[in-house]
């Protein structure tokens, strides 16, 4: 606590921690919606639980929930593809 007070007294700005707004599991992927208050930036982070591969997609705040529920479609539409090197299975019916 003393270090924090000393930093404030010296005029140093403390950065606000990233906040997790939502979390879900989809198949073998964990999807997080993250807000960075210092920059007012929103990311969707996706991590494959089996391989540990992950990626982050920066999104406009207005698109945050759409990107949270459809991160791969959003990444393909809005920039470089977010690949986790996972095998996809398509089921008929």
């Amino acid at each position: 606590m003393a270090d924090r007070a000393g930093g404030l007294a010296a005029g140093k700005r403390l950065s606000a921690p990233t906040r997790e707004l939502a979390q879900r599991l989809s198949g073998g992927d964990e999807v997080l919606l993250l807000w960075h208050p210092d920059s007012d930036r929103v990311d969707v982070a996706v991590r494959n639980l089996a391989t540990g591969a992950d990626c982050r997609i920066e999104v406009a705040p207005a698109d945050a929930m759409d990107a949270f529920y459809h991160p791969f479609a959003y990444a393909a539409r809005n920039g470089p593809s977010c690949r986790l090197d996972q095998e996809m299975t398509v089921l008929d019916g």
Side-chain angles (χ1 to χ4, degrees):
M1 189 66 125
D3 290 336
R4 182 177 175 145
L8 290 174
K12 294 180 183 175
R13 182 170 184 255
L14 298 177
S15 63
T18 298
R19 296 189 184 149
E20 182 180 304
L21 302 177
Q23 182 269 344
R24 70 183 182 88
L25 295 175
S26 177
D29 295 328
E30 177 183 39
V31 183
L32 302 173
L33 180 60
L34 304 169
W35 175 49
H36 307 277
D38 287 343
S39 60
D40 200 26
R41 200 171 43 97
V42 179
D43 289 344
V44 173
V46 182
R47 181 171 59 105
N48 183 285
L49 298 175
T51 66
D54 63 356
C55 68
R56 285 188 181 231
I57 307 159
E58 187 172 344
V59 298
D63 297 328
M65 291 309 294
D66 185 45
F68 175 68
Y69 285 109
H70 310 286
F72 297 112
Y74 190 87
R77 244 186 359 238
N78 295 296
S81 182
C82 182
R83 290 199 47 173
L84 299 179
D85 295 323
Q86 63 187 14
E87 188 173 311
M88 302 283 292
T89 302
V90 178
L91 301 175
D92 289 331

